[in-house]
Amino acid sequence: MLCFIFIACEYHYYQFPNLIYTIHTQGDRIVVSDIQESVTYATYKNRENHYDTVVGGDKFGNFFVDRLPASTSEEVDEDSTVTHFLCEYHVGESLISINRTTLIAGGKEILCYTTILGGIGVFILFINHEDVDLFQNLEMHLIENASLLCGRDHLAYSSYYIPVKNVIDGNLYEQYNLLPYERKTMIAEELNKTVSEVSKKIEDMSVRVAF
């Protein structure tokens, strides 16, 4: 199963350049060139972005991403506290392992999971809001237009125990290429894209971490 999640690191600073031309990385250092502001340096703090975040699954087949609020992170060593669920999704089988890994040397990190019935799937992080908006809208159109093999309501299934949150089903949007051309054209027009542009975007997302 192929799924995408959309949580990301953000830089909250009102004077950061907003006419960015290029972004390069050197280890944890991020170098941003801007049309007006020349070059700006930033640092990715890996510990701060992962130290308070955990992923997991339960015996009912639910996947989740959980994060401590920043205001209570320093207090958790002394007392338990409430966490924030960033992502939730019903996989359908009990998860027995979840690992951060890459499929190829130098590739982007993914979350690879296995299930009690032998299933293997991955969760891939979206890297920009444009892709999130596009695939969220595509998913909604496919829920209405694609005929699933099992005949079940997709949204009801992915929210079987807990409402799905911040996860897009990669298997569902790949159904786009199996639709009649008329339906593909209708959906593409709703997305302000051509059929070939939507198909190319789907292909790019599917192979991003493997090739």
Side-chain angles (χ1 to χ4, degrees), residues 155-195:
L155 197 57
Y157 176 77
S158 57
S159 305
Y160 193 77
Y161 286 96
I162 306 172
V164 63
K165 180 179 181 181
N166 290 345
V167 179
I168 295 175
D169 190 338
N171 290 337
L172 176 64
Y173 72 62
E174 289 185 340
Q175 296 295 313
Y176 176 80
N177 292 321
L178 303 179
L179 293 175
Y181 187 78
E182 295 75 14
R183 287 193 180 184
K184 289 195 290 187
T185 302
M186 179 193 69
I187 293 174
E189 289 176 351
E190 290 288 333
L191 300 174
N192 296 318
K193 302 283 186 182
T194 65
V195 172

Side-chain angles (χ1 to χ4, degrees), residues 21-197:
Y21 182 67
T22 62
I23 299 177
H24 299 284
T25 60
Q26 300 172 2
D28 291 338
R29 177 61 55 83
I30 304 170
V31 183
V32 182
S33 63
D34 182 84
I35 292 176
Q36 293 181 335
E37 304 295 335
S38 187
V39 177
T40 301
Y41 290 87
T43 301
Y44 173 70
K45 297 180 179 180
N46 183 71
R47 185 176 184 275
E48 292 185 7
N49 281 291
H50 296 295
Y51 183 65
D52 297 328
T53 304
V54 63
V55 300
D58 61 29
K59 65 180 181 180
F60 303 109
N62 298 308
F63 166 86
F64 61 85
V65 179
D66 197 8
R67 177 172 292 170
L68 280 172
S71 59
T72 59
S73 178
E74 296 179 358
E75 303 172 5
V76 73
D77 291 335
E78 300 179 3
D79 190 13
S80 61
T81 185
V82 176
T83 56
H84 291 173
F85 285 96
L86 302 180
C87 302
E88 293 175 300
Y89 184 80
H90 180 63
V91 174
E93 301 174 25
S94 298
L95 279 69
I96 59 174
S97 72
I98 304 175
N99 293 285
R100 286 172 53 192
T101 186
T102 59
L103 296 181
I104 57 172
K108 295 184 179 298
E109 276 195 343
I110 61 169
L111 295 174
C112 181
Y113 68 86
T114 59
T115 71
I116 196 169
L117 297 180
I120 300 175
V122 297
F123 287 92
I124 302 171
L125 187 68
F126 278 110
I127 58 176
N128 61 67
H129 292 290
E130 180 184 352
D131 286 344
V132 172
D133 293 338
L134 174 64
F135 282 97
Q136 277 185 316
N137 290 326
L138 177 59
E139 183 179 46
M140 289 299 101
H141 285 294
L142 289 173
I143 288 174
E144 297 178 0
N145 290 277
S147 298
L148 301 182
L149 183 62
C150 62
R152 298 187 63 181
D153 180 88
H154 177 271
L155 197 57
Y157 176 77
S158 57
S159 305
Y160 193 77
Y161 286 96
I162 306 172
V164 63
K165 180 179 181 181
N166 290 345
V167 179
I168 295 175
D169 190 338
N171 290 337
L172 176 64
Y173 72 62
E174 289 185 340
Q175 296 295 313
Y176 176 80
N177 292 321
L178 303 179
L179 293 175
Y181 187 78
E182 295 75 14
R183 287 193 180 184
K184 289 195 290 187
T185 302
M186 179 193 69
I187 293 174
E189 289 176 351
E190 290 288 333
L191 300 174
N192 296 318
K193 302 283 186 182
T194 65
V195 172
S196 60
E197 287 175 335

